[in-house]
Amino acid sequence: MNNIFDTHAHYDDEAFSEDREELLGLLQTKGVAGVLSCGINLVSSYENLKLAKQYDYIYCAIGIHPENIADERKGDLDLIKELLKTEPKAVAVGEIGLDYYWEENAPRDVQIDLFRRQIEIAKELDLPVIVHDRDAHEDTFNILKEMRPKGVLHCYSGEKEQALQYTKMGFYIGMGGVVTFKNARKAVEVVESIPLDKLLLETDCPYLAPVPHRGERNDSSLIYLVAEKIGEIRGMDPQEVLDITAENAKAFLNVK
Ligand SMILES: [Zn+2]
């Protein structure tokens, strides 16, 4: 299979420290056509930008993740905006959003404030947002409904009804390894019901490797397993799933 477009990776992660160059040098020979590698704070955003400049097929998202709000320094958002304005390979604002799962995360109002300010940047620059929503479905939905950026709900974990509301508003739904997991009832229902032109594939690597690699380090080449599962659910050829979602990704990120 070929034409894999991974719309959510973290190739700056230390899980890739040992063999990053080797792995990224080989991904295209394993069917990978494009990758969006996402920052989680300013330092990580710079690392991903570096990778995007080094490899033709890699693009990057720049932003501050809700679990990393403590890393934010005064002026970071100005720098983020400047990078997005001036760097051609920086094509999205992310990873941003709300995470109410971890108790040690910043208070909800602080998370919401940073989420909103980063959405504002995306809207000003006419760029998409890469949204992380963990146990914060209602607040995330209300903010996106009100502010209406272009965006994707990455590793979507909500119910299919809300997924359909999102796609009606023009948002994309990102699906990855979770859909192959044994307990994936919700993810399977989402894949069954959303319009294919709003579906994006992703890894969230190094995390969430698809079955039969669950628990191992994930990378973009394993997306073929996600395409196989989605093909099974939708009664389609997996290559067709990859082709359609790669086109969706290019349109979404405005890249060729
Ligand atoms: Zn992520």
Side-chain angles (χ1 to χ4, degrees):
M1 280 185 256
N2 56 45
N3 218 8
I4 291 170
F5 204 120
D6 180 359
T7 57
H8 197 108
H10 295 282
Y11 280 120
D12 64 312
D13 193 279
E14 61 183 17
F16 299 106
S17 298
E18 298 280 303
D19 61 345
R20 185 177 292 107
E21 298 260 314
E22 193 190 341
L23 175 76
L24 296 181
L26 281 175
L27 279 185
Q28 284 175 295
T29 68
K30 297 180 178 175
V32 176
V35 167
L36 182 74
S37 201
C38 301
I40 56 168
N41 57 25
L42 191 64
V43 173
S44 145
S45 293
Y46 272 113
E47 290 299 318
N48 285 302
L49 177 61
K50 212 162 93 186
L51 295 173
K53 286 176 163 180
Q54 199 178 338
Y55 298 92
D56 264 0
Y57 71 97
I58 298 183
Y59 299 86
C60 72
I62 290 189
I64 299 174
H65 188 289
E67 281 174 53
N68 299 278
I69 291 179
D71 299 341
E72 192 200 353
R73 296 287 170 268
K74 211 170 175 263
D76 276 7
L77 287 197
D78 293 332
L79 274 170
I80 284 172
K81 191 170 164 184
E82 196 52 34
L83 288 171
L84 288 161
K85 242 192 210 168
T86 54
E87 294 289 351
K89 296 297 290 286
V91 295
V93 180
E95 172 174 0
I96 65 173
L98 303 174
D99 192 314
Y100 297 168
Y101 179 78
W102 300 103
E103 246 174 57
E104 61 268 34
N105 281 356
R108 294 181 180 196
D109 57 326
V110 176
Q111 292 194 36
I112 288 172
D113 177 61
L114 184 63
F115 186 32
R116 283 179 170 277
R117 285 188 288 141
Q118 294 187 97
I119 293 174
E120 279 303 339
I121 292 175
K123 285 174 66 175
E124 253 185 83
L125 301 178
D126 197 26
L127 293 173
V129 290
I130 312 299
V131 179
H132 170 103
D133 159 16
R134 188 161 189 198
D135 291 354
H137 299 328
E138 200 184 328
D139 284 353
T140 303
F141 182 79
N142 288 334
I143 290 168
L144 291 174
K145 189 177 171 195
E146 177 207 319
M147 297 187 75
R148 295 295 178 107
K150 297 188 277 193
V152 59
L153 278 296
H154 125 73
C155 194
Y156 182 77
S157 58
E159 299 287 346
K160 73 167 186 214
E161 288 77 12
Q162 196 163 60
L164 286 169
Q165 287 179 291
Y166 274 125
T167 57
K168 276 195 194 115
M169 291 192 284
F171 290 99
Y172 288 81
I173 301 292
M175 301 300 290
V178 172
V179 76
T180 69
F181 295 176
K182 224 174 160 184
N183 54 355
R185 176 193 62 84
K186 274 204 281 187
V188 168
E189 283 178 7
V190 169
V191 166
E192 273 169 352
S193 34
I194 61 167
L196 276 181
D197 66 351
K198 288 290 176 280
L199 174 65
L200 297 176
L201 301 189
E202 61 167 66
T203 52
D204 205 15
C205 66
Y207 309 108
L208 298 175
V211 172
H213 298 284
R214 189 171 181 178
E216 297 168 22
R217 187 182 75 171
N218 199 2
D219 72 63
S220 309
S221 68
L222 295 180
I223 281 187
Y224 81 93
L225 291 161
V226 176
E228 281 180 356
K229 181 68 187 185
I230 292 176
E232 196 186 301
I233 296 167
R234 302 272 314 208
M236 286 167 66
D237 182 60
Q239 184 59 56
E240 200 188 339
V241 174
L242 291 176
D243 292 340
I244 291 171
T245 52
E247 284 313 307
N248 294 346
K250 289 182 213 166
F252 172 62
L253 298 172
N254 195 21
V255 302
K256 53 174 176 51

